[in-house]
Amino acid sequence: MITTSDLRKVYRAHGRDTVALDGVDLHVRTGEVYGVVGTSGAGKSTLIRCVNLLERPSSGSVQVDGRELTSLSASELRATRRSIGMVFQHFNLLARRTVAENVQLPLELTGLTRRERAAKAAELLDLVGLADKARAYPAQLSGGQKQRVGIARALAGDPKVLLSDEATSALDPETTRSVLQLLRELNQQLGLTVLLITHEMDVIKSVCDSAALMRAGKVVESGTLNELLARPGSELARELFPLGGGTPVAGDEPLQGSTLVDITFQGDAAVQPFISQLARTYNVDVNIVGAAVETIGGRQVGRMRVALPGSFEENVVPIGYLREQGLQVEVAA
């Protein structure tokens, strides 16, 4: 649904060039929730604004629903943008308009009658759980309610794609969870493709199907969450699912002379007693250094760090046994 190829954006100011995007390749499949995560200055906001050409890229390709946006005329681009909704971090609601009037704003240039616009706004406000706030003004709403109005407004043109620019970063944790749940419900009910940017790993963990990590204007890693969790050495997987317990150091007697192994298990493997089976089969003492089970992308996933006595060479067979059980096993550095 969304594809960028070798996307570059360079800003020039005071005789100096600042590279915001440096050859970004991104592929978002139809119907998925795709998260782009990174620290401030990584290029996330520039990327999402280039997807609907609010920022025109310096070079590269942007395709949405099979159309190359960079080659469209101004009128063609305006028409295409109707199929791309956008939710902003700070809501961008007009203070002197009611909630319903804010939602109707994108419809005022579509040729719909006032009655048709009102009916559409009422339908969308009901969809986001704010049917009773139609006549309220933004100042009378909480932050979460304002963002729901912003989402309703973004849906006014019946878009196929919804872009979310740090939509939850100004909200408290409980409100963030409710807004993310709403985005997931809209994704499923309407078949929306959602591209969101965030600096919070919890957002990726709770709502996304796929993710990309950006740094210094580049995508350094990407994939579905399942692929990332199964990928040896994945930086995103480590950030999504951190484990306690590090490399043995002097004075750390229980771990001295041990091999640290990180184990990721999903699906049926999550309920198998593989640690006890390993200990019995090879008569090995397994020291569990850190472990956690969480729900990521709607699926239960577990990670465990264990210490096996002896060097790696002495543990080749036990490690091979774990891999034969369908587990992702990585020897920690």
Side-chain angles (χ1 to χ4, degrees), residues 54 71 216 246 267 292 310 318:
L54 287 178
S71 65

Side-chain angles (χ1 to χ4, degrees), residues 16-305:
R16 296 182 59 185
D17 287 344
T18 301
V19 179
L21 298 178
D22 190 8
V24 172
D25 294 327
L26 199 69
H27 179 65
V28 182
R29 295 171 300 180
T30 301
E32 75 173 341
V33 180
Y34 196 110
V36 178
V37 66
T39 57
S40 178
K44 308 183 304 298
S45 292
T46 302
L47 171 62
I48 205 167
R49 291 173 66 84
C50 281
V51 167
N52 62 1
L53 261 65
L54 287 178
E55 293 274 2
R56 183 164 286 274
S58 302
S59 62
S61 169
V62 180
Q63 291 189 18
V64 177
D65 197 21
R67 301 200 75 183
E68 175 55 57
L69 267 58
T70 59
S71 65
L72 298 180
S73 67
S75 60
E76 290 172 331
L77 183 58
R78 284 194 297 271
T80 300
R81 282 200 183 117
R82 292 172 190 158
S83 66
I84 306 173
M86 189 156 183
V87 185
F88 300 91
Q89 177 180 359
H90 297 296
F91 322 129
N92 290 358
L93 303 180
L94 299 181
R96 296 188 178 183
R97 287 192 175 221
T98 66
V99 164
E101 290 168 344
N102 268 281
V103 176
Q104 292 178 45
L105 185 61
L107 301 173
E108 293 179 357
L109 300 177
T110 63
L112 294 179
T113 65
R114 179 175 297 181
R115 178 174 297 180
E116 289 170 332
R117 295 198 301 269
K120 182 68 173 179
E123 174 189 336
L124 291 170
L125 288 172
D126 184 56
L127 186 64
V128 300
L130 290 179
D132 60 334
K133 299 293 184 181
R135 296 185 179 180
Y137 286 87
Q140 299 171 294
L141 304 181
S142 67
Q145 289 171 332
K146 290 177 183 178
Q147 195 55 281
R148 286 173 179 262
V149 176
I151 292 171
R153 180 184 58 193
L155 298 176
D158 297 319
K160 296 180 180 180
V161 170
L162 186 64
L163 307 180
S164 171
D165 185 4
E166 297 272 17
T168 60
S169 64
L171 306 177
D172 62 79
E174 183 176 350
T175 305
T176 291
R177 285 191 291 272
S178 70
V179 170
L180 290 176
Q181 181 60 36
L182 174 61
L183 289 176
R184 172 54 87 179
E185 290 171 358
L186 294 172
N187 160 255
Q188 295 171 342
Q189 293 174 18
L190 305 179
L192 277 176
T193 301
V194 181
L195 174 61
L196 61 86
I197 65 168
T198 182
H199 62 275
E200 300 172 279
M201 281 294 172
D202 281 346
V203 172
I204 302 294
K205 188 184 300 184
S206 63
V207 75
C208 293
D209 302 301
S210 300
L213 174 64
M214 283 194 73
R215 185 182 296 121
K218 297 182 179 182
V219 171
V220 296
E221 187 179 15
S222 64
T224 68
L225 296 196
N226 288 339
E227 290 170 349
L228 293 167
L229 289 168
R231 183 179 299 164
S234 168
E235 184 176 347
L236 261 175
R238 288 197 303 271
E239 293 289 336
L240 283 169
F241 213 149
L243 281 175
T247 303
V249 296
D252 195 352
E253 296 299 335
L255 298 184
Q256 282 298 307
S258 299
T259 300
L260 283 180
V261 177
D262 291 342
I263 305 168
T264 302
F265 44 97
Q266 307 181 50
D268 293 340
V271 297
Q272 299 302 315
F274 54 86
I275 292 296
S276 61
Q277 290 172 351
L278 173 68
R280 288 196 305 268
T281 302
Y282 294 98
N283 192 29
V284 60
D285 294 325
V286 182
N287 185 358
I288 298 177
V289 180
V293 176
E294 295 193 38
T295 300
I296 298 180
R299 186 180 186 188
Q300 194 174 57
V301 179
R303 291 194 77 199
M304 182 181 295
R305 173 165 287 184

